[in-house]
Structure formats: C-alpha cells, structure tokens
Amino acid sequence: MTEQKFSTENDVNDVSIIQEVNFIHMPVSDIDEAINWYIKYLGCKGAHKVHEELASVNLPSGPTLLFIKTQHEERAKFLKNGQDYSIVGFITKDIEKAFASLKENGVRVHNFRDEGEVGKFFDFYDPDGNRFTIWGCPIEDYNSSINRTGELI
C-alpha cells in the first residue's frame, strides 16, 4: 500500500478555519451518573451541571465532554464490518495501568492490542455503551512530536 501525501496548503485563505477540538457531545441516560463515572474512572475534573439534561466535565488535557441526556439508544460509536468502533480516542502514559485499573473496577474493557511502533491500544465502554479507545503513545512527549502541519516529526 502506498502512502498518499496531501497538500497542507489552504485554498481559501492563510488562516486555519479551526484551531482545536473544544467539546465532544456524549449521549447519556443519566447526567449525574455520567458525571460521577467520568470523574471516578477517567479522572475528569470541573464538573458543571447546567440543568437536568446538560452537564460537562473537563478532560485532564484537551476538550470538554458535554453530556446530553437522551432517551434514545444511539451512542458515541459506529459499526465497521458489523462491529462497534469508537469515535473518540484518549492517550495515556501507562497503558497497562489504565487497562488494569478500568478492568479491576468493573469497566467493560477489551481488545488490548500491541501494534508495535505505533503503540498499544484497548477499547472500553462507559455505562451508557459509548465506546472509546485508549492509546499508549510510545512517543515520550506526544505534543512536541507533532509539527505545525500536523505531521509526526
């Protein structure tokens, strides 16, 4: 398989339209349960309950998770080849510790895999069935390893 190169030139103007991910909507069935779970198991901070159908928590680094109370069964995932696939991936400094901690606390974890130079990964579900991936990034300082064009250096 050949790697395809894409132009990093912006055809519209010299300024990027977007700068970063600010928030991610998460469908949940119970706002209070979601707040408590994300704080307890993932280390989120800064919980803010706006009202009975909207709340937020801050990830230790990066975007805010906005919990939207819904009665529907749609969740933050999609199907690929008939299997659930996550739409959100997190980075951890210690993948084995993260996997063991979530598993010991009864969180549904699976598919621990070692992909060599790319790193190790596993998937987990929150109480509402939203699926996530955790990546044990092999690069010591991930943020400084990305140049301004978004390419690994």
Side-chain angles (χ1 to χ4, degrees):
M1 185 164 96
T2 339
E3 183 177 328
Q4 183 177 356
K5 297 286 184 180
F6 295 95
S7 170
T8 57
E9 298 298 316
N10 186 327
D11 292 337
V12 179
N13 55 44
D14 291 336
V15 178
S16 243
I17 299 285
I18 59 172
Q19 283 70 49
E20 64 185 23
V21 175
N22 181 263
F23 61 87
I24 300 169
H25 286 126
M26 298 301 306
V28 299
S29 60
D30 184 305
I31 295 288
D32 295 329
E33 179 184 20
I35 290 170
N36 290 327
W37 192 90
Y38 280 78
I39 288 171
K40 181 176 182 178
Y41 297 112
L42 300 184
C44 292
K45 308 266 187 235
H48 176 69
K49 187 173 180 180
V50 178
H51 52 70
E52 293 302 313
E53 295 189 2
L54 176 66
S56 66
V57 295
N58 298 320
L59 295 172
S61 171
T64 296
L65 297 178
L66 288 177
F67 301 131
I68 309 296
K69 184 175 180 175
T70 178
Q71 302 301 317
H72 304 285
E73 296 199 21
E74 293 91 4
R75 295 295 171 228
K77 60 185 177 183
F78 63 93
L79 292 178
K80 179 181 177 189
N81 299 326
Q83 301 292 316
D84 285 349
Y85 206 86
S86 66
I87 61 167
V88 177
F90 301 113
I91 292 178
T92 185
K93 293 178 182 177
D94 189 338
I95 190 99
E96 284 84 5
K97 181 178 177 181
F99 184 81
S101 174
L102 290 175
K103 187 173 182 174
E104 288 169 10
N105 283 291
V107 174
R108 185 175 154 206
V109 295
H110 66 97
N111 199 21
F112 191 98
R113 56 210 181 269
D114 185 342
E115 297 190 13
E117 291 180 9
V118 177
K120 296 177 182 177
F121 299 82
F122 72 88
D123 302 306
F124 72 95
Y125 291 86
D126 74 2
D128 281 294
N130 295 305
R131 182 174 174 160
F132 302 96
T133 300
I134 292 186
W135 175 31
C137 179
I139 302 166
E140 190 62 36
D141 185 359
Y142 174 78
N143 289 329
S144 68
S145 69
I146 297 179
N147 68 22
R148 292 171 29 144
T149 64
E151 298 173 24
L152 287 176
I153 55 173

